[in-house]
Structures are given as C-alpha cells and as structure tokens.
Amino acid sequence: MAVAGRPLVPSRLARPASNVHGRVGPARTKVGSYVALTKPRIIELLLITTVPTMVLAQEGLPSLGLVAATLVGGTLAAGGANAINMYVDRDIDRLMPRTQGRPLVTGAMTPRAALTFALGLELVAFVWLALLVNLLSAGLALSATLFYVFVYTLWLKRTSSQNIVVGGAAGAVPVLVGWAAVTNSLAWPPVVLFGLIFLWTPPHFWALAIRYVDDYRAADVPMLPAVETPAVVCRKMLMYALLLWAASLVLWPVAGLGLVYGITAMATGAGFAWLCFDLRLDPTPKRAMRVFTWSISYITVVFVAIAVDTLIVHGW
C-alpha cells in the first residue's frame, strides 16, 4: 500500500527531466526516476516487518542467504507494485502538489517504459522467490501485488472512503511472505501479524491524509479525511488504534513471546492510542503529522521487539 514522506518542493522536483525534443536527460536522472517509481521509502517499511517475522518463524536467526533472497524478492515485488500504482495514478498525480514531482508527471519517462519496468520487476520477483526461496512465498508476494493493483488502485482508491482500510491488506502480506520463506507454511502467529499491520494502516495513512487533505480533494480521491469531518476521522483512527493495541497483545501468547515484547506492546500501543485520542481534541495538520511520525516509530519498535524477544526466549 502507498506511504509518503515530507512534501515535495516544486521548485526542485517538478522540473521536467526531458528537454524540448523529448530526449531523456542524463543516465543519472534515468536511474533516479526508475528508483523513484518503486517508492523506496515504502519498501523500507515493508522490509522492517519481514525480517523480524523470519526470526520469529525460525525461533532464532535464519540463514543470511535466505534472508537476503527473501528481501531481494520482496523488494522487487513491492517495487513493481508501486511502479504500477504510479502508472495508473499518473493522471491524479498531476493534480496533487505532493505528487507532482513523480517521474511520470515530470516527463522523466514514458508511461510505456514505466509499465514495462514494473511488469519486469514483478516477473523477476516471482521467479526469484520461487527458485531461491519457495513457491508459497512467491505466490503470496504476487497475490499482494494483484490485490494492491486491482482492488486498491484500480477500484477502491477512487470510489470508496474505505479504500485504505481494505487496500491496506496488501501491505500486510510481507509478514506472510517472511514466515512462509522460513517454514514453507502458514500458522497463527503470521495471521495475527497480518492483522496487526492491517489495523495499523488506517490510522497511519489517515494521519498523513489529514495533512494533505486539499490534495485529495483537488484530485477527487475520496480518502476519508477528504469526505468526512475531522471528528469522524479522528474517532475512527482511535478505534483502529485500540484494535491494534489489542491485536498486539493477542500476539504475545500466540507467538509465545516474553516480557520484552509484552512490555513494549503495552507501552507503545498505549502511546499510539493516546496520540489518536489527543488528535480528536485539536485535529490540526501539525498534530496529525505527529501521529503519522509516531506510527512509523511504533511499527518499527514493535517488530524489533519481536526479533529481540525471540532471540532471548530461545537462548540466542
């Protein structure tokens, strides 16, 4: 699923990368444009959840080769999905200041080149995971791409205020891929982890959408903050934060984790819920970005705690 960082600076990023004759600029610009298509900052977040899940599945440290193969395959799959998303959304990206620096808006590459690159990444990702990891992980990664493209990008994003709620399932699949890479099967712990990411996504993304609500309105994208009152948005964010907190505590006994994880889940979950509650009192963009920033820290700390606790419990 798409997560953005700091706002783009039009004077630097909205400058076309091609000249008046349509020739693409330096190779350096080409490479940067292709990398930008994959949304690397989103991929970083996906990988943060994958490695601790592999540690939990292994009940220790998986082999470095398996971790590397899984991360490379996951990066290729997520990058391809993000590139397809940019290809599909190039029309609305032109309307939102936050996305006007993207390569298909600036003219740094053609839509055909972007789509070819994206489909190539997906093909390589599937073959890579199937050959070097296992077929289950390859199939799961492909299913995430198909869901992200067809269910979220092509259908729900432009038609429903629940777009990110349902579409967030795609961003939760990497934990399943990580577990399957180690065990070649699925079990209850990765299912709970999937639910944790699924519940985390709405308050995480809606916090950002509050900051950029005018962009979504300009592009006629029915993101919840663009179509509902701040009171409604904040109430739903708090609801998901509380459900997330509960899911993180369910994982504690299901995965057989110890006090390091349990204390971390209780403290960070309480902090996330409190920030969402506090946002209701004054739903300004500044406070919303505080929730957004904390949400990233939350998911990072929780998954690091999973890995550390697993290594402690199993004597590593």
Side-chain angles (χ1 to χ4, degrees), residues 111-194:
R112 180 177 180 180
L115 183 60
T116 301
F117 173 69
L119 295 177
L121 285 181
E122 288 302 324
L123 177 60
V124 172
F126 183 84
V127 173
W128 177 279
L129 288 170
L131 293 180
L132 299 182
V133 184
N134 55 53
L135 189 58
L136 178 58
S137 63
L140 288 168
L142 179 60
S143 71
T145 295
L146 294 175
F147 192 91
Y148 182 58
V149 171
F150 289 99
V151 176
Y152 173 69
T153 304
L154 288 173
W155 176 28
L156 292 176
K157 183 173 183 178
R158 306 186 191 211
T159 61
S160 172
S161 62
Q162 296 301 300
N163 45 24
I164 201 66
V165 176
V166 179
V173 172
V175 297
L176 303 182
V177 174
W179 186 278
V182 173
T183 67
N184 200 19
S185 64
L186 293 176
W188 281 114
V191 171
V192 177
L193 285 170
F194 177 94

Coordinates of all heavy atoms in Angstrom, one line a residue, residues 111-194:
P111 N 5.0 6.6 -20.0 CA 4.2 5.6 -19.3 C 4.5 4.1 -19.8 O 4.5 3.2 -18.9 CB 2.7 6.0 -19.7 CG 2.8 7.4 -20.0 CD 4.2 7.6 -20.6
R112 N 4.7 4.0 -21.1 CA 5.0 2.6 -21.6 C 6.3 2.1 -20.9 O 6.4 0.9 -20.5 CB 5.2 2.6 -23.1 CG 5.5 1.3 -23.7 CD 5.6 1.4 -25.2 NE 5.9 0.1 -25.8 CZ 6.0 -0.2 -27.1 NH1 5.9 0.8 -27.9 NH2 6.3 -1.4 -27.5
A113 N 7.3 2.9 -20.8 CA 8.6 2.5 -20.2 C 8.4 2.1 -18.7 O 8.9 1.1 -18.2 CB 9.6 3.6 -20.3
A114 N 7.5 2.9 -18.0 CA 7.3 2.7 -16.6 C 6.5 1.4 -16.4 O 6.9 0.6 -15.5 CB 6.5 3.8 -16.0
L115 N 5.5 1.1 -17.3 CA 4.8 -0.1 -17.1 C 5.6 -1.4 -17.5 O 5.5 -2.4 -16.8 CB 3.5 -0.1 -18.0 CG 2.6 -1.3 -18.0 CD1 2.1 -1.5 -16.5 CD2 1.4 -1.2 -18.9
T116 N 6.4 -1.2 -18.5 CA 7.3 -2.3 -18.9 C 8.3 -2.7 -17.7 O 8.5 -3.8 -17.4 CB 8.2 -2.0 -20.1 OG1 7.3 -1.7 -21.2 CG2 9.1 -3.1 -20.5
F117 N 8.9 -1.6 -17.1 CA 9.7 -1.8 -16.0 C 9.0 -2.5 -14.8 O 9.5 -3.4 -14.2 CB 10.3 -0.4 -15.6 CG 11.1 -0.4 -14.3 CD1 12.3 -1.0 -14.2 CD2 10.5 0.2 -13.1 CE1 13.1 -0.9 -13.0 CE2 11.3 0.3 -12.0 CZ 12.5 -0.3 -11.9
A118 N 7.8 -2.0 -14.5 CA 7.0 -2.5 -13.4 C 6.7 -4.0 -13.6 O 6.9 -4.8 -12.7 CB 5.7 -1.8 -13.2
L119 N 6.2 -4.4 -14.8 CA 5.9 -5.8 -15.1 C 7.1 -6.7 -15.1 O 7.1 -7.8 -14.6 CB 5.2 -5.9 -16.4 CG 3.8 -5.2 -16.5 CD1 3.2 -5.3 -17.9 CD2 2.8 -5.8 -15.4
G120 N 8.3 -6.1 -15.5 CA 9.5 -6.8 -15.5 C 10.0 -7.1 -14.1 O 10.4 -8.2 -13.7
L121 N 9.8 -6.2 -13.2 CA 10.1 -6.4 -11.8 C 9.3 -7.5 -11.2 O 9.8 -8.3 -10.4 CB 9.9 -5.1 -11.0 CG 11.0 -4.0 -11.1 CD1 10.6 -2.8 -10.2 CD2 12.4 -4.5 -10.8
E122 N 8.0 -7.5 -11.5 CA 7.1 -8.5 -10.9 C 7.5 -9.9 -11.4 O 7.4 -10.9 -10.7 CB 5.6 -8.2 -11.3 CG 5.1 -7.0 -10.6 CD 5.1 -7.2 -9.1 OE1 4.9 -8.3 -8.6 OE2 5.3 -6.2 -8.4
L123 N 7.8 -10.0 -12.7 CA 8.2 -11.3 -13.3 C 9.5 -11.8 -12.6 O 9.5 -13.0 -12.2 CB 8.4 -11.2 -14.8 CG 8.9 -12.4 -15.5 CD1 7.9 -13.6 -15.3 CD2 9.1 -12.2 -17.0
V124 N 10.5 -10.9 -12.5 CA 11.7 -11.3 -11.9 C 11.5 -11.7 -10.4 O 12.1 -12.7 -9.9 CB 12.8 -10.2 -12.0 CG1 14.0 -10.5 -11.2 CG2 13.1 -10.0 -13.5
A125 N 10.7 -10.9 -9.7 CA 10.4 -11.2 -8.3 C 9.8 -12.6 -8.1 O 10.2 -13.3 -7.2 CB 9.5 -10.1 -7.7
F126 N 8.8 -12.9 -8.9 CA 8.1 -14.2 -8.8 C 9.1 -15.4 -9.0 O 9.2 -16.3 -8.3 CB 7.0 -14.3 -9.7 CG 6.2 -15.6 -9.6 CD1 5.2 -15.7 -8.6 CD2 6.5 -16.7 -10.4 CE1 4.5 -16.9 -8.5 CE2 5.8 -17.9 -10.3 CZ 4.8 -18.0 -9.3
V127 N 9.9 -15.2 -10.1 CA 10.9 -16.3 -10.5 C 11.9 -16.4 -9.4 O 12.3 -17.5 -9.0 CB 11.5 -16.0 -11.8 CG1 12.6 -17.0 -12.1 CG2 10.4 -16.1 -12.9
W128 N 12.4 -15.3 -8.9 CA 13.4 -15.2 -7.9 C 13.0 -15.9 -6.6 O 13.7 -16.8 -6.1 CB 13.8 -13.8 -7.6 CG 14.8 -13.6 -6.5 CD1 14.5 -13.6 -5.2 CD2 16.2 -13.3 -6.6 NE1 15.7 -13.3 -4.4 CE2 16.7 -13.2 -5.3 CE3 17.1 -13.2 -7.7 CZ2 18.1 -12.9 -5.1 CZ3 18.4 -12.9 -7.5 CH2 18.9 -12.8 -6.2
L129 N 11.8 -15.5 -6.1 CA 11.3 -16.1 -4.9 C 11.0 -17.6 -5.1 O 11.3 -18.4 -4.2 CB 10.1 -15.4 -4.4 CG 10.3 -14.0 -3.8 CD1 9.0 -13.3 -3.6 CD2 11.1 -14.1 -2.5
A130 N 10.4 -18.0 -6.2 CA 10.1 -19.4 -6.5 C 11.3 -20.3 -6.5 O 11.3 -21.4 -6.0 CB 9.3 -19.5 -7.8
L131 N 12.4 -19.8 -7.1 CA 13.6 -20.6 -7.3 C 14.5 -20.6 -6.0 O 15.1 -21.6 -5.7 CB 14.4 -20.1 -8.5 CG 13.7 -20.3 -9.8 CD1 14.6 -19.8 -10.9 CD2 13.4 -21.8 -10.1
L132 N 14.6 -19.4 -5.4 CA 15.6 -19.2 -4.3 C 15.0 -19.3 -2.9 O 15.7 -19.5 -1.9 CB 16.3 -17.9 -4.5 CG 17.2 -17.8 -5.7 CD1 17.9 -16.4 -5.7 CD2 18.1 -18.9 -5.9
V133 N 13.7 -19.2 -2.8 CA 13.0 -19.3 -1.5 C 12.0 -20.5 -1.6 O 12.4 -21.6 -1.2 CB 12.3 -17.9 -1.1 CG1 11.7 -18.0 0.3 CG2 13.3 -16.8 -1.2
N134 N 10.8 -20.2 -1.9 CA 9.9 -21.3 -2.2 C 8.7 -20.8 -2.9 O 8.4 -19.5 -3.0 CB 9.4 -22.0 -0.9 CG 8.9 -21.1 0.1 OD1 8.0 -20.3 -0.1 ND2 9.4 -21.2 1.4
L135 N 7.9 -21.7 -3.5 CA 6.7 -21.3 -4.3 C 5.7 -20.5 -3.5 O 5.0 -19.6 -4.0 CB 6.1 -22.5 -5.0 CG 5.1 -22.2 -6.1 CD1 5.6 -21.3 -7.2 CD2 4.6 -23.5 -6.7
L136 N 5.5 -20.9 -2.2 CA 4.5 -20.3 -1.4 C 4.8 -18.8 -1.2 O 3.9 -18.0 -1.4 CB 4.4 -21.0 -0.1 CG 3.4 -20.4 0.9 CD1 2.0 -20.4 0.4 CD2 3.4 -21.2 2.3
S137 N 6.0 -18.5 -0.9 CA 6.3 -17.1 -0.7 C 6.2 -16.3 -2.0 O 5.8 -15.1 -2.0 CB 7.8 -17.0 -0.2 OG 8.7 -17.5 -1.1
A138 N 6.5 -16.9 -3.1 CA 6.4 -16.3 -4.4 C 4.9 -16.0 -4.7 O 4.5 -14.9 -5.2 CB 7.0 -17.1 -5.5
G139 N 4.1 -17.0 -4.5 CA 2.6 -16.8 -4.7 C 2.0 -15.7 -3.8 O 1.2 -15.0 -4.2
L140 N 2.5 -15.7 -2.5 CA 2.0 -14.7 -1.6 C 2.4 -13.3 -2.1 O 1.6 -12.3 -2.0 CB 2.5 -14.9 -0.2 CG 1.9 -16.1 0.5 CD1 2.6 -16.5 1.8 CD2 0.4 -15.9 0.9
A141 N 3.6 -13.1 -2.5 CA 4.1 -11.8 -3.0 C 3.3 -11.4 -4.2 O 2.9 -10.2 -4.3 CB 5.6 -11.9 -3.3
L142 N 3.0 -12.3 -5.1 CA 2.3 -12.0 -6.3 C 0.8 -11.6 -5.9 O 0.3 -10.7 -6.5 CB 2.3 -13.2 -7.3 CG 1.5 -13.0 -8.5 CD1 2.0 -11.8 -9.4 CD2 1.5 -14.3 -9.4
S143 N 0.3 -12.3 -5.0 CA -1.1 -12.0 -4.5 C -1.2 -10.6 -4.0 O -2.2 -9.9 -4.2 CB -1.6 -13.0 -3.5 OG -1.0 -12.8 -2.3
A144 N -0.2 -10.2 -3.3 CA -0.2 -8.8 -2.7 C -0.2 -7.8 -3.8 O -0.9 -6.8 -3.7 CB 1.0 -8.6 -1.8
T145 N 0.6 -8.0 -4.8 CA 0.6 -7.1 -6.0 C -0.7 -7.0 -6.7 O -1.2 -5.9 -7.0 CB 1.7 -7.5 -7.0 OG1 3.0 -7.4 -6.4 CG2 1.7 -6.7 -8.2
L146 N -1.3 -8.2 -6.9 CA -2.6 -8.2 -7.6 C -3.7 -7.5 -6.8 O -4.5 -6.7 -7.4 CB -3.0 -9.7 -7.9 CG -2.1 -10.4 -8.9 CD1 -2.5 -11.9 -9.0 CD2 -2.1 -9.8 -10.3
F147 N -3.7 -7.7 -5.5 CA -4.6 -7.0 -4.6 C -4.4 -5.5 -4.6 O -5.4 -4.8 -4.7 CB -4.5 -7.6 -3.2 CG -5.6 -7.2 -2.3 CD1 -6.8 -8.0 -2.2 CD2 -5.6 -6.0 -1.6 CE1 -7.8 -7.6 -1.4 CE2 -6.6 -5.7 -0.7 CZ -7.8 -6.5 -0.6
Y148 N -3.2 -5.1 -4.5 CA -2.8 -3.7 -4.5 C -3.2 -3.0 -5.7 O -3.8 -1.9 -5.7 CB -1.3 -3.6 -4.2 CG -0.8 -2.1 -4.1 CD1 -1.4 -1.3 -3.1 CD2 0.2 -1.6 -4.9 CE1 -0.9 0.0 -3.0 CE2 0.6 -0.3 -4.8 CZ 0.1 0.5 -3.8 OH 0.5 1.8 -3.7
V149 N -3.0 -3.6 -6.9 CA -3.2 -3.0 -8.2 C -4.7 -3.0 -8.5 O -5.3 -2.0 -8.8 CB -2.4 -3.7 -9.3 CG1 -2.9 -3.2 -10.7 CG2 -0.9 -3.5 -9.1
F150 N -5.4 -4.2 -8.4 CA -6.7 -4.3 -8.9 C -7.8 -3.9 -7.9 O -8.8 -3.3 -8.2 CB -7.0 -5.8 -9.4 CG -6.3 -6.1 -10.7 CD1 -5.1 -6.8 -10.6 CD2 -6.8 -5.7 -11.9 CE1 -4.4 -7.1 -11.8 CE2 -6.1 -6.0 -13.1 CZ -4.9 -6.7 -13.0
V151 N -7.6 -4.3 -6.6 CA -8.6 -4.0 -5.6 C -8.4 -2.5 -5.1 O -9.4 -1.8 -5.0 CB -8.5 -5.0 -4.4 CG1 -9.5 -4.6 -3.3 CG2 -8.8 -6.4 -4.9
Y152 N -7.2 -2.2 -4.7 CA -6.9 -0.8 -4.2 C -6.8 0.3 -5.3 O -7.6 1.2 -5.4 CB -5.7 -0.8 -3.3 CG -5.3 0.6 -2.8 CD1 -6.2 1.3 -1.9 CD2 -4.2 1.3 -3.3 CE1 -5.8 2.6 -1.5 CE2 -3.9 2.6 -2.9 CZ -4.7 3.2 -2.0 OH -4.4 4.5 -1.6
T153 N -5.8 0.1 -6.1 CA -5.5 1.2 -7.1 C -6.6 1.4 -8.1 O -7.0 2.5 -8.4 CB -4.2 0.9 -7.8 OG1 -3.1 0.8 -6.8 CG2 -3.8 2.1 -8.7
L154 N -7.0 0.3 -8.8 CA -8.0 0.4 -9.9 C -9.4 0.5 -9.4 O -10.2 1.1 -10.2 CB -7.8 -0.8 -10.8 CG -6.5 -0.8 -11.7 CD1 -6.4 -2.1 -12.4 CD2 -6.5 0.4 -12.7
W155 N -9.7 0.1 -8.2 CA -11.1 0.1 -7.8 C -11.4 1.0 -6.6 O -12.0 2.1 -6.8 CB -11.6 -1.3 -7.5 CG -13.0 -1.5 -6.9 CD1 -14.0 -0.6 -7.2 CD2 -13.4 -2.5 -6.0 NE1 -15.1 -1.1 -6.5 CE2 -14.8 -2.2 -5.8 CE3 -12.9 -3.6 -5.4 CZ2 -15.6 -3.0 -4.9 CZ3 -13.6 -4.3 -4.6 CH2 -15.0 -4.0 -4.3
L156 N -10.9 0.7 -5.5 CA -11.3 1.4 -4.3 C -10.8 2.8 -4.1 O -11.4 3.6 -3.5 CB -11.0 0.5 -3.0 CG -11.7 -0.8 -2.9 CD1 -11.2 -1.6 -1.7 CD2 -13.2 -0.5 -2.7
K157 N -9.6 3.0 -4.5 CA -8.9 4.3 -4.3 C -9.8 5.5 -4.8 O -9.9 6.5 -4.1 CB -7.6 4.4 -4.9 CG -6.8 5.7 -4.6 CD -5.4 5.6 -5.1 CE -4.6 6.9 -4.7 NZ -3.2 6.9 -5.1
R158 N -10.4 5.3 -5.9 CA -11.2 6.4 -6.5 C -12.7 6.3 -6.3 O -13.5 7.2 -6.7 CB -10.9 6.5 -8.0 CG -9.4 6.6 -8.3 CD -9.2 6.8 -9.8 NE -7.8 6.6 -10.2 CZ -7.2 7.3 -11.1 NH1 -7.9 8.2 -11.9 NH2 -5.9 7.1 -11.4
T159 N -13.1 5.3 -5.5 CA -14.6 5.1 -5.4 C -15.1 5.0 -4.0 O -16.3 5.1 -3.7 CB -15.0 3.8 -6.1 OG1 -14.3 2.7 -5.5 CG2 -14.7 3.9 -7.6
S160 N -14.2 4.7 -3.0 CA -14.7 4.5 -1.6 C -13.8 5.1 -0.6 O -12.6 5.1 -0.7 CB -14.7 3.0 -1.4 OG -15.0 2.7 0.0
S161 N -14.4 5.6 0.4 CA -13.7 6.2 1.6 C -13.0 5.1 2.4 O -12.2 5.4 3.3 CB -14.6 7.1 2.4 OG -15.6 6.3 3.0
Q162 N -13.4 3.9 2.2 CA -12.7 2.7 2.8 C -11.6 2.2 2.1 O -11.1 1.1 2.3 CB -13.8 1.6 3.1 CG -14.9 2.0 4.0 CD -14.4 2.5 5.4 OE1 -13.8 1.7 6.1 NE2 -14.7 3.7 5.7
N163 N -11.1 2.9 1.1 CA -10.1 2.5 0.2 C -8.8 2.0 0.9 O -8.3 0.8 0.7 CB -9.7 3.5 -0.8 CG -9.5 4.9 -0.2 OD1 -9.2 5.0 1.0 ND2 -9.7 6.0 -1.0
I164 N -8.3 2.8 1.8 CA -7.1 2.4 2.5 C -7.3 1.3 3.6 O -6.4 0.6 3.9 CB -6.4 3.6 3.1 CG1 -4.9 3.4 3.4 CG2 -7.1 4.0 4.5 CD1 -4.1 3.2 2.1
V165 N -8.5 1.2 4.0 CA -8.8 0.1 5.0 C -8.7 -1.3 4.4 O -8.0 -2.1 4.8 CB -10.3 0.3 5.6 CG1 -10.6 -0.9 6.5 CG2 -10.4 1.6 6.3
V166 N -9.4 -1.4 3.2 CA -9.4 -2.7 2.5 C -8.0 -2.9 1.8 O -7.4 -3.9 1.9 CB -10.5 -2.8 1.5 CG1 -10.4 -4.1 0.7 CG2 -11.8 -2.7 2.2
G167 N -7.6 -1.8 1.2 CA -6.3 -1.9 0.4 C -5.1 -2.1 1.3 O -4.1 -2.6 0.8
G168 N -5.2 -1.8 2.5 CA -4.1 -2.0 3.4 C -3.7 -3.4 3.6 O -2.6 -3.7 4.1
A169 N -4.6 -4.3 3.2 CA -4.3 -5.8 3.3 C -3.0 -6.1 2.5 O -2.2 -7.0 2.9 CB -5.4 -6.6 2.8
A170 N -2.8 -5.4 1.4 CA -1.7 -5.7 0.5 C -0.4 -5.4 1.3 O 0.6 -6.2 1.2 CB -1.7 -4.9 -0.7
G171 N -0.3 -4.4 2.1 CA 0.9 -4.0 2.8 C 1.1 -5.0 4.0 O 2.2 -4.9 4.6
A172 N 0.1 -5.8 4.3 CA 0.3 -6.7 5.4 C 0.8 -8.1 5.0 O 1.2 -8.9 5.8 CB -1.1 -6.9 6.2
V173 N 0.8 -8.3 3.7 CA 1.3 -9.6 3.2 C 2.8 -9.9 3.4 O 3.1 -11.1 3.6 CB 0.9 -9.7 1.7 CG1 1.5 -11.0 1.0 CG2 -0.6 -9.7 1.5
P174 N 3.7 -8.9 3.4 CA 5.1 -9.3 3.6 C 5.4 -10.1 4.9 O 6.3 -10.9 4.9 CB 5.8 -7.9 3.7 CG 4.9 -7.0 2.8 CD 3.5 -7.5 3.0
V175 N 4.6 -10.0 5.9 CA 4.8 -10.8 7.1 C 4.5 -12.3 6.8 O 5.1 -13.2 7.3 CB 4.0 -10.3 8.3 CG1 4.4 -8.9 8.8 CG2 2.5 -10.4 8.1
L176 N 3.5 -12.5 5.9 CA 3.2 -13.8 5.5 C 4.3 -14.4 4.6 O 4.7 -15.6 4.7 CB 1.9 -13.9 4.7 CG 0.6 -13.3 5.4 CD1 -0.6 -13.5 4.5 CD2 0.4 -14.1 6.8
V177 N 4.8 -13.5 3.8 CA 6.0 -13.9 2.9 C 7.2 -14.3 3.8 O 7.8 -15.4 3.5 CB 6.3 -12.8 1.9 CG1 7.6 -13.2 1.1 CG2 5.2 -12.5 1.0
G178 N 7.5 -13.5 4.8 CA 8.6 -13.8 5.6 C 8.5 -15.1 6.4 O 9.4 -15.9 6.5
W179 N 7.3 -15.4 6.9 CA 7.0 -16.6 7.6 C 7.1 -17.8 6.7 O 7.8 -18.8 7.0 CB 5.7 -16.6 8.3 CG 5.4 -17.8 9.2 CD1 4.9 -19.0 8.8 CD2 5.5 -17.8 10.6 NE1 4.8 -19.8 9.9 CE2 5.2 -19.1 11.0 CE3 6.0 -16.9 11.6 CZ2 5.2 -19.5 12.3 CZ3 6.0 -17.3 12.9 CH2 5.6 -18.6 13.3
A180 N 6.5 -17.7 5.5 CA 6.5 -18.8 4.5 C 7.9 -19.0 4.0 O 8.2 -20.2 3.7 CB 5.6 -18.4 3.4
A181 N 8.7 -18.0 3.9 CA 10.1 -18.2 3.5 C 10.9 -19.2 4.4 O 11.7 -20.0 3.9 CB 10.8 -16.9 3.4
V182 N 10.6 -19.1 5.7 CA 11.3 -19.9 6.6 C 10.6 -21.3 6.8 O 11.3 -22.3 6.8 CB 11.3 -19.2 8.0 CG1 11.9 -20.2 9.1 CG2 12.1 -17.9 7.9
T183 N 9.3 -21.4 6.8 CA 8.6 -22.6 7.2 C 8.0 -23.3 6.0 O 7.5 -24.4 6.1 CB 7.6 -22.3 8.2 OG1 6.5 -21.5 7.7 CG2 8.2 -21.6 9.4
N184 N 7.8 -22.6 4.9 CA 7.1 -23.1 3.7 C 5.6 -23.4 4.1 O 5.0 -24.4 3.6 CB 7.8 -24.3 3.1 CG 7.3 -24.5 1.6 OD1 6.8 -23.6 1.0 ND2 7.5 -25.7 1.1
S185 N 5.1 -22.7 5.1 CA 3.7 -22.9 5.5 C 3.2 -21.6 6.2 O 4.0 -20.7 6.3 CB 3.7 -24.1 6.5 OG 4.4 -23.8 7.7
L186 N 2.0 -21.6 6.7 CA 1.5 -20.5 7.4 C 0.9 -21.0 8.8 O 0.7 -22.2 8.9 CB 0.4 -19.8 6.7 CG 0.8 -19.0 5.4 CD1 -0.4 -18.4 4.7 CD2 1.8 -17.9 5.7
A187 N 0.8 -20.2 9.7 CA 0.3 -20.6 11.1 C -0.4 -19.4 11.7 O -0.5 -18.3 11.1 CB 1.5 -21.1 11.9
W188 N -0.8 -19.5 13.0 CA -1.5 -18.4 13.6 C -0.6 -17.2 13.9 O -1.1 -16.0 13.7 CB -2.1 -18.9 14.9 CG -3.4 -19.7 14.7 CD1 -3.6 -21.0 14.9 CD2 -4.6 -19.1 14.1 NE1 -4.9 -21.3 14.6 CE2 -5.5 -20.2 14.1 CE3 -5.0 -17.9 13.7 CZ2 -6.8 -20.1 13.6 CZ3 -6.3 -17.7 13.2 CH2 -7.2 -18.8 13.2
P189 N 0.6 -17.3 14.3 CA 1.4 -16.1 14.5 C 1.5 -15.1 13.3 O 1.2 -13.9 13.5 CB 2.8 -16.6 14.9 CG 2.5 -17.9 15.6 CD 1.4 -18.5 14.8
P190 N 1.8 -15.6 12.1 CA 1.8 -14.7 11.0 C 0.4 -14.1 10.6 O 0.3 -13.0 10.1 CB 2.3 -15.5 9.8 CG 2.0 -16.9 10.2 CD 2.2 -17.0 11.7
V191 N -0.7 -14.9 10.9 CA -2.0 -14.4 10.7 C -2.3 -13.2 11.7 O -2.9 -12.2 11.2 CB -3.1 -15.5 10.9 CG1 -4.5 -14.9 10.9 CG2 -2.9 -16.6 9.8
V192 N -1.9 -13.3 12.9 CA -2.1 -12.2 13.9 C -1.2 -11.0 13.4 O -1.6 -9.9 13.5 CB -1.7 -12.7 15.3 CG1 -1.8 -11.5 16.3 CG2 -2.6 -13.8 15.7
L193 N 0.0 -11.3 13.0 CA 0.9 -10.2 12.5 C 0.2 -9.5 11.3 O 0.3 -8.3 11.1 CB 2.3 -10.8 12.1 CG 3.2 -11.1 13.3 CD1 4.4 -11.9 12.8 CD2 3.6 -9.9 14.0
F194 N -0.4 -10.3 10.4 CA -1.1 -9.7 9.3 C -2.2 -8.8 9.8 O -2.3 -7.7 9.3 CB -1.7 -10.9 8.4 CG -2.5 -10.4 7.3 CD1 -2.0 -10.3 6.0 CD2 -3.9 -10.1 7.4 CE1 -2.7 -9.8 4.9 CE2 -4.6 -9.6 6.4 CZ -4.1 -9.5 5.1

